[in-house]
Amino acid sequence: MKDENCIFCKIANGEIPSATLYEDEDFRVILDLGPATKGHALILPKEHYANLYEIDEEVAAKAFKLAKKMVTELTEVLGCDGYNVVQNNGAAAGQTVFHFHMHLIPRYKNDDAGFGWKTGKLTDVDRDDILERLKK
Ligand code: 5GP
Ligand code: ZN
């Protein structure tokens, strides 16, 4: 299914032009217009799924397979030193376009992309709480 109000549906299906690195019947891989580093790309399924909660399992599996292929090829082409594969779900997690996508972000030694998170400390209470809830 496509969502006619969704910009990534339009890009993925070629209705809006994009810098396309790869395309097959299920996906288009494009360069991000606001790159964190040189070569920042997005994997877009051609069908509309808002996020990881909604995506079809088979499509999700194919997306990760494609991420491996793209990261392998682009590491060679770009000469980068590592990769972040990032996938945001929900506004609280930083998602701004509500069509599932995976960010492929090349990392270069000493780049200043500077994203990450502040590390905390796993408490015994949180550990026990989470393990207990999962037993249900
Ligand atoms: P999110 O924050 O939802 O995980 O990521 C959305 C990403 O899409 C951002 O990195 C943003 O730069 C990129 N983006 C938003 N609109 C467009 C667009 O029209 N074309 C391209 N190529 N990238 C876009
Ligand atoms: Zn869409």
Side-chain angles (χ1 to χ4, degrees):
M1 229 182 74
K2 321 288 186 258
D3 177 338
E4 63 183 30
N5 297 312
C6 172
I7 184 156
F8 278 6
C9 278
K10 293 195 173 90
I11 292 173
N13 292 283
E15 290 165 42
I16 293 178
S18 61
T20 295
L21 306 181
Y22 173 87
E23 185 184 2
D24 64 24
E25 67 177 306
D26 299 312
F27 299 98
R28 184 185 295 268
V29 183
I30 64 168
L31 287 176
D32 194 300
L33 281 186
T37 61
K38 181 175 176 178
H40 182 166
L42 302 171
I43 295 181
L44 311 180
K46 291 187 173 178
E47 292 293 314
H48 181 85
Y49 309 99
N51 50 39
L52 189 61
Y53 303 110
E54 291 192 3
I55 194 169
D56 176 86
E57 273 187 17
E58 292 287 321
V59 179
K62 281 186 186 173
F64 212 83
K65 237 174 129 173
L66 179 55
K68 176 177 168 63
K69 171 186 153 58
M70 295 306 301
V71 162
T72 303
E73 195 176 330
L74 286 167
T75 295
E76 185 139 328
V77 169
L78 296 166
C80 58
D81 302 301
Y83 250 95
N84 290 117
V85 177
V86 179
Q87 200 276 308
N88 299 325
N89 298 283
Q95 187 176 11
T96 58
V97 181
F98 295 90
H99 174 122
F100 176 95
H101 52 281
M102 289 171 87
H103 294 263
L104 308 179
I105 305 175
R107 300 304 303 267
Y108 304 89
K109 278 180 200 130
N110 305 318
D111 71 35
D112 61 354
F115 58 92
W117 54 84
K118 277 191 291 178
T119 54
K121 180 153 180 27
L122 178 63
T123 63
D124 293 351
V125 172
D126 282 353
R127 180 200 58 209
D128 293 347
D129 178 43
I130 294 161
L131 293 178
E132 189 56 38
R133 287 182 200 214
L134 265 175
K135 280 186 194 158
K136 280 178 200 154

